[in-house]
Amino acid sequence: MQKTQVTIKHIAQALNISISTVSRALQNHPRIGLRTKEKVFEMAQRLNYVPNPAAILLKKNKTFTIGVVLPHLQEEFFSQAITAIEDVISAENYNVVVSQSRDKLERENRAIKSFISSRVDGVIASISAETTQYYQFRELERYGIPIVFFDRAPKDVPVNKVRGNIADAAFEVIDFLANKGIKKVAILNGPASLEISDERLMGYWGAMKKFNLPIIQNYIKSTDLSKEDTTKKMIELLNGEELPEAVFCFNDYVALYAMQACKQKGLVPNKDIMFVSFANLPITTYLDNPPLASVEQFAYQMGEKAAQLLLKIIHAEKETLEPEDIVVNTKLIIH
Amino acid sequence: MQKTQVTIKHIAQALNISISTVSRALQNHPRIGLRTKEKVFEMAQRLNYVPNPAAILLKKNKTFTIGVVLPHLQEEFFSQAITAIEDVISAENYNVVVSQSRDKLERENRAIKSFISSRVDGVIASISAETTQYYQFRELERYGIPIVFFDRAPKDVPVNKVRGNIADAAFEVIDFLANKGIKKVAILNGPASLEISDERLMGYWGAMKKFNLPIIQNYIKSTDLSKEDTTKKMIELLNGEELPEAVFCFNDYVALYAMQACKQKGLVPNKDIMFVSFANLPITTYLDNPPLASVEQFAYQMGEKAAQLLLKIIHAEKETLEPEDIVVNTKLIIH
DNA sequence: CTGTTAGCGCTTTCAA
DNA sequence: TTGAAAGCGCTAACAG
């Protein structure tokens, strides 16, 4: 099937010059005659020469590839981030390999293994809902592969990361609800292993206190982000002593599942119970009664910063730099 | 940053044997002593040896990578297909590189270029809404890279493809509506450059005739799949002489956009006007008034077949085989 | 069963 | 400004 490929050797022969001259000409080496360069480029074109990446990689011991693991490409939040990463990375002639963990630890680990064996030059990660340990990422360190986390970073480990100012956003959400006279606010949070869950809780807690709203233990739930568990927790809220007036959800999926649980109980979401969440699905705007407000996280910007940081680390030839913690501002969007 | 990597040479030295023995042992070559093999594997483990893919590729002149271009990973249909492709392909130790065209010809071309320069062993493609020419894919042929299309294939060119029995499904849809006593059915079809648009139209046409339903020229619209154009076409339908009773949409996105246009005109979708479409977004089930029915296309199965076909072609060392056309059955789901 | 050797396509000293 | 030659890590004849 494969045609024999055109190599610099062919170009050299056709032009009756040495392969090193061809190689240099193709790289725009300064010490090559302008006429020679022209001839080489012309011939390369004519022969449909395409450089063999494997040979270059082998020689340079670099793959010009970065690996990205994240939970779901289907979430607008992540797909926007990946677009940004691709834009930044490809401008520097790097390639991107994306892998979805689907919130499974096992898939995340497999992706990391594959990144190691394909020898990527760096990794950008947003950890799965199941990930509680930093363990697996140590393996990357072992091979000297730098990592930058975005949005979902492991807790209690100093790492390079880019994240939204979640706690402030959560505070703002409660502020917004309080201003509307809503007092009883429940929270359907994400797994405790995620730092961004803690931050949501902190913001919630801080604001509830500040505005003298009642903090009810039963109003604080956390889910593993699956539909089943989210539904279960929402039903617990609905069956509780006092129905909350609003539910602050970890993200749009959680909100969607929770809203459906509501409907099944005969309540109209965003009329009988208000929902507010972190935006990652533009599709919620197609609902008949969309959530009152949501937090925009500027995924593109976050992806951009993460990619830039990673490139910076890759280019810095020195040993590990101080981990950076970049915070991107969020914005409360009132619908 | 990079640690110096462990090579088979290191293993050979540590064990005081030749590198070819190590290479063979690692490949489980039959003519290598069991004891030697064991020693080699042990040492490889101990030194954290990871084979350098670049060297293997260079040697074998194969990348064990296949490229996939498709419109949007966010559509459930495509993301399921990609999962299937990954499953099949990785079972044979191939890797997958995915690229989204976002329905832009230019992005599709860029992806193809990048597939060529990274020398993928094969390509699976579902063309963009803007693609009208087979032209760009010829470039792949030139380099002997086999292609399999799935779902969206170019028209009027004999190619390897996997597709649903769209025309039959479209027929079934009209049949279903006719049975409910619905006579005036409009169609919001995709761009004419896609074979799957033609097939939808054929099925529609055939059924409308068969059931003696009126075929009104103004009821037949096609959109470029963008929100703007779809909205425009839907508004034309709504402003026409006679309101259709049902609209048969190219896919769920088209349905979503069209339904929103409805709402803006004060009509309740799926009560005042029925919608039916090809399923690619499970999210539509969260709508208050979801579409009556939709066509399930078994994306996973389609992806699976496409991947299997591609592998078959890659493994068949001969010159181009006869193009295959694999049809996967669809199913009408009543909600 | 194992070792020697050539070479995949390219970059890069070193020498001219 | 160009060429010769070594070598990146691995595989695979060929030769024992």
Side-chain angles (χ1 to χ4, degrees), chain B residues 1-63:
Chain B
M1 195 82 215
Q2 298 280 7
K3 279 197 202 175
T4 55
Q5 48 179 322
V6 179
T7 70
I8 51 171
K9 202 169 160 188
H10 296 134
I11 302 181
Q13 278 167 351
L15 256 32
N16 214 347
I17 56 179
S18 81
I19 60 165
S20 41
T21 303
V22 176
S23 171
R24 281 189 278 245
L26 256 14
Q27 293 173 79
N28 245 313
H29 189 108
R31 302 194 311 207
I32 291 288
L34 205 64
R35 268 197 48 72
T36 322
K37 268 187 202 170
E38 266 172 16
K39 276 198 312 194
V40 170
F41 275 108
E42 220 172 276
M43 185 56 76
Q45 185 85 58
R46 220 157 64 76
L47 299 181
N48 278 301
Y49 168 75
V50 184
N52 185 331
I56 301 179
L57 305 186
L58 180 57
K59 191 71 207 186
K60 299 210 169 168
N61 198 25
K62 242 191 111 165
T63 58

Side-chain angles (χ1 to χ4, degrees), chain A residues 177 180 182 184 234 238 243-247 258-260 262-263 266-276 287-293, chain B residues 288:
Chain A
L177 292 172
K180 289 191 104 61
I182 294 174
K184 293 179 289 177
M234 185 62 205
L238 293 172
L243 216 60
E245 296 166 274
V247 181
M259 281 159 56
Q260 205 181 36
C262 253
K263 283 199 235 169
L267 296 168
V268 179
N270 299 305
K271 296 191 101 173
D272 299 330
I273 299 189
M274 300 304 157
F275 285 85
V276 186
L287 297 175
D288 291 331
N289 295 299
L292 282 190
Chain B
D288 292 331

Side-chain angles (χ1 to χ4, degrees), chain B residues 87-107:
Chain B
D87 288 352
V88 172
I89 246 56
S90 67
E92 301 253 351
N93 281 314
Y94 277 72
N95 288 82
V96 184
V97 178
V98 188
S99 200
Q100 303 186 60
S101 67
R102 291 160 212 276
D103 273 328
K104 298 286 171 230
L105 180 59
E106 188 255 333
R107 288 189 73 101

Side-chain angles (χ1 to χ4, degrees), chain B residues 309-329:
Chain B
L309 176 53
L310 183 60
L311 285 177
K312 182 176 142 193
I313 298 171
I314 290 175
H315 292 150
E317 287 297 335
K318 9 184 150 177
E319 281 309 299
T320 16
L321 319 164
E322 273 304 289
E324 281 193 51
D325 181 2
I326 298 176
V327 178
V328 174
N329 282 329

Side-chain angles (χ1 to χ4, degrees), chain A residues 66-237:
Chain A
I66 75 135
V68 179
V69 227
L70 37 71
H72 295 279
L73 236 19
Q74 270 168 275
E75 288 185 30
E76 180 82 356
F77 175 77
F78 292 115
S79 84
Q80 271 180 238
I82 203 70
T83 306
I85 293 172
E86 274 172 1
D87 288 352
V88 172
I89 248 50
S90 67
E92 302 253 349
N93 282 315
Y94 277 73
N95 288 81
V96 184
V97 179
V98 188
S99 198
Q100 304 186 60
S101 68
R102 292 163 211 275
D103 272 327
K104 297 288 171 230
L105 180 59
E106 189 256 334
R107 287 189 74 101
E108 189 170 87
N109 282 333
R110 252 197 290 160
I112 292 172
K113 289 249 171 62
S114 124
F115 289 159
I116 290 173
S117 57
S118 66
R119 284 179 155 67
V120 296
D121 294 330
V123 167
I124 295 181
S126 197
I127 67 179
S128 88
E130 287 183 358
T131 308
T132 56
Q133 302 258 334
Y134 180 66
Y135 177 71
Q136 9 165 15
F137 294 100
R138 291 243 178 274
E139 196 67 10
L140 288 167
E141 288 179 357
R142 224 170 186 299
Y143 289 95
I145 301 173
I147 321 159
V148 171
F149 291 92
F150 83 95
D151 191 48
R152 301 196 191 172
K155 281 207 296 198
D156 310 322
V157 195
V159 292
N160 288 292
K161 59 187 162 195
V162 175
R163 57 190 177 90
N165 58 342
I166 304 289
D168 297 350
F171 187 95
E172 225 185 321
V173 165
I174 306 301
D175 186 1
F176 164 76
L177 292 172
N179 266 319
K180 289 191 104 61
I182 294 174
K183 292 186 189 337
K184 293 179 289 177
V185 185
I187 176 169
L188 262 182
N189 206 0
S193 52
L194 298 180
E195 198 168 13
I196 54 175
S197 296
D198 284 6
E199 295 196 22
R200 280 162 169 80
L201 192 58
M202 270 170 47
Y204 167 83
W205 198 280
M208 295 296 277
K209 271 203 172 141
K210 168 94 183 286
F211 300 114
N212 273 313
L213 303 179
I215 297 182
I216 301 174
Q217 207 43 248
N218 290 341
Y219 276 6
I220 301 176
K221 304 275 183 195
S222 72
T223 105
D224 64 10
L225 305 185
S226 73
K227 180 167 184 179
E228 297 68 41
D229 195 43
T230 304
T231 306
K232 189 175 145 228
K233 298 297 161 58
M234 185 62 205
I235 288 174
E236 287 175 17
L237 283 176

Side-chain angles (χ1 to χ4, degrees), chain A residues 204-334:
Chain A
Y204 167 83
W205 198 280
M208 295 296 277
K209 271 203 172 141
K210 168 94 183 286
F211 300 114
N212 273 313
L213 303 179
I215 297 182
I216 301 174
Q217 207 43 248
N218 290 341
Y219 276 6
I220 301 176
K221 304 275 183 195
S222 72
T223 105
D224 64 10
L225 305 185
S226 73
K227 180 167 184 179
E228 297 68 41
D229 195 43
T230 304
T231 306
K232 189 175 145 228
K233 298 297 161 58
M234 185 62 205
I235 288 174
E236 287 175 17
L237 283 176
L238 293 172
N239 289 342
E241 300 233 323
E242 257 190 307
L243 216 60
E245 296 166 274
V247 181
F248 173 33
C249 299
F250 180 81
N251 69 21
D252 277 344
Y253 275 99
V254 168
L256 220 47
Y257 303 149
M259 281 159 56
Q260 205 181 36
C262 253
K263 283 199 235 169
Q264 277 159 5
K265 283 275 172 181
L267 296 168
V268 179
N270 299 305
K271 296 191 101 173
D272 299 330
I273 299 189
M274 300 304 157
F275 285 85
V276 186
S277 71
F278 281 78
N280 47 2
L281 280 179
I283 215 116
T284 51
T285 58
Y286 291 96
L287 297 175
D288 291 331
N289 295 299
L292 282 190
S294 61
V295 178
E296 167 60 51
Q297 299 188 80
F298 303 105
Y300 189 93
Q301 217 187 108
M302 288 180 62
E304 204 171 35
K305 303 253 177 183
Q308 285 161 352
L309 176 54
L310 182 60
L311 285 177
K312 183 176 139 192
I313 298 171
I314 290 175
H315 293 150
E317 285 298 336
K318 9 183 151 177
E319 280 311 299
T320 15
L321 317 164
E322 272 304 290
E324 281 192 51
D325 181 1
I326 297 175
V327 178
V328 173
N329 281 328
T330 57
K331 190 167 181 323
L332 186 68
I333 309 280
I334 318 289

